[in-house]
Amino acid sequence: FYLTPPQVNSILKANEYSFKVPEFDGKNVSSVLGFDSNQLPANAPIEDRRSAATCLQTRGMLLGVFDGHAGCACAQAVSERLFYYIAVSLLPHETLLEIENAVESGRALLPILQWHKHPNDYFSKEASKLYFNSLRTYWQELIDLNSGETTDVREALINAFKRLDNDISLEAQVGDPNSFLNYLVLRVAFSGATACVAHVDGVDLHIANTGDSRAMLGVQEEDGSWSAVNLSYDHNAQNEHEVERVKMEHPKSEEKSLVKQDRLLGLLMPFRAFGDVKFKWSIELQKRVVESGPDQLNDNEYTKFIPPNYHTPPYLTAEPEVIHHKLRPQDKFLVLATDGLWETMHRQDVARIVGEYLTGVHHQQPIAVGGYKVTLGQMHGLLTERRARISSVFEDQNAATHLIRHAVGNNEFGTVDHERLSKMLSLPEELARMYRDDITIIVVQFNSHVIGAY
């Protein structure tokens, strides 16, 4: 099919969402101005998820992207639940007590999060009670453990990730008398998801990452040019430290079978993830749960097989790697994105495209044509296209959409080629996945004045 520009736009803009942080008395007191987010599916249904929320009882804002595999169930559950676990981990003891007393006496609860959601980002109503009970058990334990010290953000993030993963595993083992819920908790546990989450509070930016989605900071240099600073490391076979970590955790006799064809046990790309109990539970536990589970689970080939060379589980952890960065006035924006973006674009290009989009200033790079033989006519075409691009001053109202347009439609000259974009977006479902992955992006814009005042 050939899609017209309006058709391309309606596909690209279908999932876009923007949020501006409100000003008080005409002043903006937050270090975050706002954010843009968007998703472009390749899988049907899409296996990526995204979340954004303001913490109401502590300070700060939470944003995250979640990349599911073996289905979307785990990514969906983590996108709904993880921020509550983080918020609860950050709450002071008195607030936890207030919340527990309110539940105890049937009073209305203090709201913990204000969600910023696209209408397509749903919550599973059927599981809300189960999810709430698990969360409540967690805060009751935090109340009992109270040491009176204020929680360190880094520790809170690590504890929240690990605890949620533990609850996902436990809920699947216990099961549920309701057959729909029973199947749901098992689907969540047997599928998997990576997570990359940012917590921004004043000038303190923490990134907690599990898996291979990425966080990148866009920095404006003194000469106005843009550079990229990585704020996360991929947990996969390309990361030598990660390969070493996995090897350290298992006997020497397994050294050859742990990582095969760049995959964990020859099967899994990310070396850290939520869910994926196939790589965490003992063989006995897997068999017991699958045999006592609902029939649909028995029909699912994925749940039946045991990974090869499976001797000393767990092989997989959901523990995040946390990086802390003190924001500076030159730090203009943060990009959180699933690997669907990073497979197609270099971080340096991402920094430049978003930076130029946000400032509306194009640094005219000399047109590079590499080793291509270019006729005068083609050169004229490139220059005319460049002029048209500037005069249309960005057809996108959303930085994440603008980035997806480049990720999918860029040609070898680094400009968006409408014909290529049209082809890529009109691929039928079963083909789309062969050319690209789901792409989910959040672009957070920082407030340099507020950051400078700190």
Side-chain angles (χ1 to χ4, degrees), residues 26-169:
K27 279 206 290 291
N28 199 315
V29 291
S30 168
S31 57
V32 174
L33 282 170
F35 69 86
D36 289 339
S37 80
N38 201 350
Q39 302 189 286
L40 183 68
N43 291 293
I46 184 170
E47 294 184 346
D48 280 7
R49 293 291 185 273
R50 57 181 163 176
S51 295
T54 302
C55 301
L56 295 172
Q57 305 305 327
T58 56
R59 300 191 329 203
M61 196 167 191
L62 285 164
L63 306 111
V65 294
F66 311 95
D67 187 349
H69 45 265
C72 57
C74 188
Q76 176 61 39
V78 175
S79 73
E80 292 181 40
R81 305 177 68 182
L82 181 57
F83 287 7
Y84 282 114
Y85 280 71
I86 294 171
V88 162
S89 307
L90 287 166
L91 288 176
H93 188 245
E94 310 75 78
T95 315
L96 287 172
L97 278 174
E98 267 177 68
I99 291 174
E100 177 54 30
N101 292 334
V103 176
E104 198 58 40
S105 57
R107 291 198 316 275
L109 277 188
L110 285 171
I112 297 177
L113 295 172
Q114 176 195 355
W115 289 93
H116 310 300
K117 280 189 144 350
H118 185 278
N120 296 357
D121 303 338
Y122 66 95
F123 271 105
S124 50
K125 297 204 172 40
E126 301 82 5
S128 57
K129 191 160 191 255
L130 170 77
Y131 290 173
F132 178 80
N133 290 338
S134 293
L135 181 69
R136 184 182 179 190
T137 306
Y138 179 41
W139 81 55
Q140 287 171 336
E141 283 175 31
L142 288 174
I143 290 171
D144 295 343
L145 287 171
N146 171 43
S147 50
E149 295 160 26
T150 51
T151 321
D152 167 56
V153 178
R154 185 175 178 278
E155 220 173 303
L157 288 163
I158 292 173
N159 292 343
F161 273 61
K162 286 165 72 172
R163 177 58 182 236
L164 172 58
D165 192 53
N166 197 45
D167 283 354
I168 285 171
S169 172

Side-chain angles (χ1 to χ4, degrees), residues 69-70 189-192 263-269 276-288 290-291 297-310 315-316:
H69 45 265
F190 276 95
S191 59
R263 291 168 180 254
L264 190 63
L265 298 182
L267 295 168
L268 197 64
M269 290 281 271
D276 279 319
V277 293
K278 306 267 345 143
F279 296 86
K280 294 173 180 171
W281 289 356
S282 69
I283 293 176
E284 300 73 53
L285 179 57
Q286 291 191 37
K287 285 190 171 147
R288 184 171 64 77
V290 171
E291 278 160 18
L297 203 63
N298 279 315
D299 304 339
N300 185 337
E301 286 307 303
Y302 179 68
T303 53
K304 274 204 205 130
F305 89 99
I306 301 291
N309 303 302
Y310 197 77
Y315 288 90
L316 192 64

Side-chain angles (χ1 to χ4, degrees), residues 195-215:
C196 187
V197 170
H199 179 268
V200 196
D201 176 9
V203 290
D204 288 304
L205 168 63
H206 286 84
I207 301 289
N209 182 50
T210 287
D212 51 10
S213 292
R214 270 185 219 168

Side-chain angles (χ1 to χ4, degrees), residues 4-14 16 38-40 341 344-345 353 357 389 392 394-411 414-418 420-422 424-425 436 439 441:
T4 63
Q7 287 171 319
V8 164
N9 281 347
S10 71
I11 293 172
L12 288 180
K13 293 169 189 272
E16 65 179 15
N38 201 350
Q39 302 189 286
L40 183 68
L341 173 70
T344 60
M345 290 187 88
I353 288 166
Y357 171 84
R389 265 212 327 281
S392 73
F394 306 120
E395 49 206 298
D396 297 315
Q397 258 51 131
N398 178 303
T401 308
H402 188 66
L403 202 44
I404 290 176
R405 190 183 295 277
H406 277 271
V408 179
N410 263 5
N411 59 17
T415 60
V416 175
D417 174 349
H418 179 75
R420 179 181 162 80
L421 197 53
S422 165
M424 290 295 281
L425 293 180
R436 56 180 177 82
I439 300 176
I441 301 172

